[in-house]
Amino acid sequence: LESAPTAGRDDDIVICSALRTPIGRAKRGNMRDTTPDTLLATVLRATVERTGVNQEDIGDIVVGNVLQPGGGAAMARMAQFEAGLNYTIPLNTVNRQCSSGLQAFANIAGGIR
């Protein structure tokens, strides 16, 4: 089945990149010595590179994560800096267990509308 493209609307929200950190065996896998901020920085950097977005056009960053100390805000902020993203870009984190990533997307989509 093929779906016909639909005409765009002014309030459409478009996903331009879908990346995530790798999944491995906790405390035993080959990423056991890699810190969460380094993993996230890799994703943030790759997102900017793949999309070609100008940092000045980034209005907000929302990170979905689970069970990070302090809600993961400090870790995510350090990842933002490690990725070379400007400190003036607002960032927040969402801890919604298994649906954290989906909730992060919903928060951004809701903020755009």
Side-chain angles (χ1 to χ4, degrees):
L1 291 174
E2 290 186 35
S3 62
T6 59
R9 296 180 5 196
D10 289 342
D11 64 345
D12 281 349
I13 297 168
V14 178
I15 299 172
C16 58
S17 178
L19 301 174
R20 63 155 291 132
T21 55
I23 300 172
R25 298 182 77 183
K27 300 181 183 178
R28 294 180 304 234
N30 59 356
M31 294 175 290
R32 69 183 167 275
D33 297 325
T34 307
T35 59
D37 54 308
T38 298
L39 289 170
L40 179 58
T42 302
V43 170
L44 293 174
R45 197 176 305 108
T47 299
V48 171
E49 289 171 4
R50 286 184 181 193
T51 61
V53 68
N54 183 333
Q55 284 195 38
E56 302 299 320
D57 295 331
I58 300 174
D60 204 352
I61 298 172
V62 180
V63 177
N65 65 59
V66 179
L67 303 176
Q68 288 291 317
M75 176 279 303
R77 190 73 164 158
M78 292 302 104
Q80 177 182 356
F81 299 151
E82 189 176 333
L85 297 174
N86 198 312
Y87 73 93
T88 60
I89 302 171
L91 177 141
N92 71 72
T93 59
V94 177
N95 180 352
R96 186 109 188 225
Q97 301 305 310
C98 295
S99 63
S100 297
L102 180 60
Q103 186 63 55
F105 174 77
N107 289 0
I108 288 289
I112 291 171
R113 290 195 186 252

